[in-house]
Amino acid sequence: MEQQALAALPSIGRMPVLQGIILFVGLFAAHVSASLVKALLAGPLGPALAATIGYVIASVIAVCFYLLAVRLVGTRQASDFEGPGWLRELISGVVLGTLLMGVAVAWAFGAYTVIGFNPHSQAGRLRRDRGL
């Protein structure tokens, strides 16, 4: 009976509308939880560690909502998390996405400039002395 009710839901392309709503709610919950964790832990742990913990928690929440949407609404196994190497692929995707969004986009819009990798390097001192 439940299968028939879920099958009767409208869909956009291959994704049922309910599945999209669950995924949206999951991303919203992940964002809100990351913001709350950063706000609550920034004082005792420092802003960088609090942000990292918040993003890890947000990632776990997003993956859980994805699994819920795929299994409940899509009525299929989440094959993305099966087989050998799925964890390595997930971690490499998160790292690559972080680099692309965090560094490349900021650099493209001029919000990030590389002046050196070591604050005590000669290149950093020359730029600082010249007012660059």
Side-chain angles (χ1 to χ4, degrees):
M1 182 72 170
E2 185 178 326
Q3 292 287 5
Q4 292 172 346
L6 291 176
L9 291 172
S11 64
I12 300 171
R14 292 176 32 196
M15 179 185 290
V17 173
L18 181 59
Q19 191 174 15
I21 291 170
I22 290 172
L23 292 172
F24 176 78
V25 169
L27 290 176
F28 183 76
H31 175 71
V32 168
S33 67
S35 298
L36 285 173
V37 167
K38 286 191 298 186
L40 293 173
L41 297 179
L45 299 179
L49 184 57
T52 302
I53 292 170
Y55 293 140
V56 167
I57 291 172
S59 298
V60 169
I61 291 172
V63 168
C64 288
F65 268 90
Y66 170 76
L67 291 172
L68 176 74
V70 167
R71 294 189 100 156
L72 180 67
V73 178
T75 61
R76 67 174 178 88
Q77 287 289 93
S79 59
D80 304 326
F81 301 104
E82 292 178 356
W86 71 266
L87 184 61
R88 185 182 69 236
E89 289 180 12
L90 177 66
I91 291 172
S92 63
V94 168
V95 168
L96 182 61
T98 300
L99 289 174
L100 286 173
M101 297 307 292
V103 176
V105 172
W107 172 74
F109 286 103
Y112 178 77
T113 304
V114 177
I115 59 171
F117 294 101
N118 183 350
H120 305 292
S121 71
Q122 295 301 320
R125 286 187 195 147
L126 289 174
R127 289 182 60 89
R128 198 170 39 252
D129 292 343
R130 293 180 184 166
L132 299 176

